Amino acid sequence: MHSRTDTAHRRMRLLAAAGAVTALALSGLAFAAPAQAAAADVDDATLTWGLNGYAQQGIFGPWTFKDLTGDVTYLAGATQTEYVTPVFPATSFPANARSGANPNAVKFSAGTGTVDPETGAAELSWDGSYTVNAYPAIYNAPNEIYSDPQLVVAADGSGELTFDFTIGAGTDMSGNPFEAAAFGRVTLATFSAGSISGLDEDGFRLSPDFEGVVLDAAVVQNQTLTCTAPSLAGAWPAEFVETLVGNSAGASVASHFYSTGCGGNQDLKPALPMDIAFTVAETEEPASDAGDITVEVPEAPEEPSGSFGWAWATESAVDLGTATADGANFVATGALNDVVVTDTRAGGTTPYGWSISGQVTDFASATGSFSAGFLGWTPSVVSGTATAGSAVTSTQVGGTGLGSASVLASSTAATSATVGAALSLVIPGATAAGDYTTTLTLTAVQ
């Protein structure tokens, strides 16, 4: 196995005018691989969440939690001590919450997937649903139904939580009836690097994004973009809020999830933290017994003639140019320098073939960092005979990213080829300005 690292320093600048982000410039992209997360299987993970402070207070009182299905239980804030959060301004939980000393919350149990107890990196899913309604029954307001959550979070704390989301039948704000609408899987919370706290061997807390999340002004005309501390201006994920605004039923509840002003109940709109608990599955030791062990050692295989190697076609730096705003994200694209594989092996008795994989570290600068998973690529074979690896997209748009090793190209026979890849970087619009650097490690196995 051969491993070689190509490193080049690049810069990323976040330009601003009149307090609004206008451009993100990268004069390029720099590509030592991080240690692999020690993911362990779990089958009893829990997700506990009180939505936001607005759900605890509301205009008409605490929201109604009802119609729980599957592995979901309700925790009443007046009596439960399992899910505890600080009050505003540390979180959006109101100091004088009508629901009790602690939040009303839902708890999903029996979650399955993997967790790295050392870092908190996790991929978990749960079965079940809960329904909430923010209004008294007399208004016939729509139910909001959230089902089967799925959580993906990286070691640096970046990630997202998605639900299957449905708006029930009801009456809109103009008094017109409407039918239920199913929206499929929607991102209900996103997490930036550093969102994990309280990590120990059986759980951690995640703090969702809100401050600085900007909605599409063409869809949401009344979002407040700036507030004076301790008030926060922002929103739940744009996908979720804009989905609500664009629907006659959802429009009646959409304003509960983004800033339409500062102070008062507006301070209760940021999502509350969510608690993740788990128990790492014990590995059973295989049964053993005394017995003979035999092995036949064959003669050494005949060595082939020829050689195998690879090199960059060009040693120049990769340049992603200037990133542009795309909704709540910034996007930049470019191309990896071509990789030339030379394989002249022939003869011998060992089967031939090769594979080249790549992985990047987290981007870092003097002002902050962001996840390696935000970078993706689409491999291609420029010339020769080989098989291009599968496309990998940014975790910001639901992919797996290049934070873990991904195949660039491979072959099942001794063959020479030139391979490359189109690069795509998608990062949150709230990324801090600075000069960022990462490192790409290519590893060849033959």
Side-chain angles (χ1 to χ4, degrees), residues 221-290:
Q221 287 82 33
N222 62 335
Q223 182 186 15
T224 296
L225 298 177
T226 58
C227 288
T228 302
S231 295
L232 302 177
W236 288 38
E239 175 191 358
F240 173 59
V241 178
E242 291 167 11
T243 294
L244 290 174
V245 173
N247 177 269
S248 59
S252 62
V253 298
S255 61
H256 301 164
F257 304 102
Y258 68 95
S259 299
T260 58
C262 302
N265 281 344
Q266 298 297 321
D267 293 333
L268 310 182
K269 291 182 177 179
L272 289 170
M274 53 193 67
D275 289 342
I276 307 299
F278 54 86
T279 302
V280 175
E282 294 184 2
T283 303
E284 295 185 5
E285 294 294 333
S288 62
D289 197 359

Side-chain angles (χ1 to χ4, degrees), residues 36 40 43 54 80-81 91 97 159 175 212 236 316 349 354 368 383 388 423 431-432:
Q36 291 290 330
D43 56 12
Y54 206 86
Q80 68 92 8
T81 58
T91 74
W236 288 38
S316 62
T349 58
W354 51 265
S383 63
L423 301 173
T431 302

Side-chain angles (χ1 to χ4, degrees), residues 36-385:
Q36 291 290 330
D41 290 335
V42 298
D43 56 12
D44 62 347
T46 62
L47 163 65
T48 309
W49 190 22
L51 305 187
N52 61 359
Y54 206 86
Q56 313 300 323
Q57 190 93 323
I59 299 296
F60 300 96
W63 295 4
T64 301
F65 288 73
K66 60 183 181 179
D67 300 337
L68 308 178
T69 70
D71 298 311
V72 186
T73 54
Y74 173 64
L75 304 180
T79 57
Q80 68 92 8
T81 58
E82 182 176 348
Y83 175 70
V84 179
T85 65
V87 299
F88 178 82
T91 74
S92 67
F93 184 63
N96 58 342
R98 305 180 201 177
S99 57
N102 294 318
N104 297 324
V106 288
K107 179 179 181 180
F108 286 81
S109 302
T112 59
T114 61
V115 178
D116 176 8
E118 297 296 324
T119 66
E123 293 187 12
L124 298 169
S125 61
W126 292 266
D127 294 326
S129 69
Y130 67 90
T131 297
V132 296
N133 198 300
Y135 297 91
I138 190 174
Y139 292 102
N140 195 29
N143 289 325
E144 304 163 45
I145 306 164
Y146 303 89
S147 306
D148 303 335
Q150 296 177 2
L151 173 69
V152 177
V153 60
D156 67 353
S158 60
E160 66 176 13
L161 176 71
T162 64
F163 278 78
D164 275 331
F165 173 60
T166 299
I167 289 283
T171 302
D172 66 19
M173 299 180 71
S174 300
N176 301 312
F178 54 81
E179 296 181 353
F183 295 90
R185 186 151 294 275
V186 174
T187 300
L188 203 64
T190 61
F191 313 99
S192 297
S195 67
I196 296 175
S197 62
L199 177 65
D200 58 26
E201 71 278 0
D202 58 7
F204 54 88
R205 170 162 282 189
L206 283 168
S207 298
D209 298 331
F210 183 85
E211 184 178 13
V213 176
V214 178
L215 306 174
D216 185 348
V219 179
V220 183
Q221 287 82 33
N222 62 335
Q223 182 186 15
T224 296
L225 298 177
T226 58
C227 288
T228 302
S231 295
L232 302 177
W236 288 38
E239 175 191 358
F240 173 59
V241 178
E242 291 167 11
T243 294
L244 290 174
V245 173
N247 177 269
S248 59
S252 62
V253 298
S255 61
H256 301 164
F257 304 102
Y258 68 95
S259 299
T260 58
C262 302
N265 281 344
Q266 298 297 321
D267 293 333
L268 310 182
K269 291 182 177 179
L272 289 170
M274 53 193 67
D275 289 342
I276 307 299
F278 54 86
T279 302
V280 175
E282 294 184 2
T283 303
E284 295 185 5
E285 294 294 333
S288 62
D289 197 359
D292 295 333
I293 299 176
T294 62
V295 62
E296 178 182 354
V297 179
E299 295 183 5
E302 178 185 346
E303 291 295 326
S305 61
S307 62
F308 171 85
W310 68 271
W312 297 106
T314 321
E315 291 294 340
S316 62
V318 175
D319 188 351
L320 291 185
T322 301
T324 57
D326 182 6
N329 300 322
F330 281 104
V331 177
T333 58
L336 182 70
N337 292 331
D338 287 347
V339 176
V340 179
V341 180
T342 305
D343 191 354
T344 61
R345 294 171 296 171
T349 58
T350 302
Y352 304 125
W354 51 265
S355 176
I356 295 180
S357 299
Q359 182 176 2
V360 299
T361 60
D362 286 347
F363 291 75
S365 73
T367 57
S369 64
F370 58 82
S371 171
F374 292 151
L375 182 67
W377 68 9
T378 301
S380 61
V381 177
V382 179
S383 63
T385 304

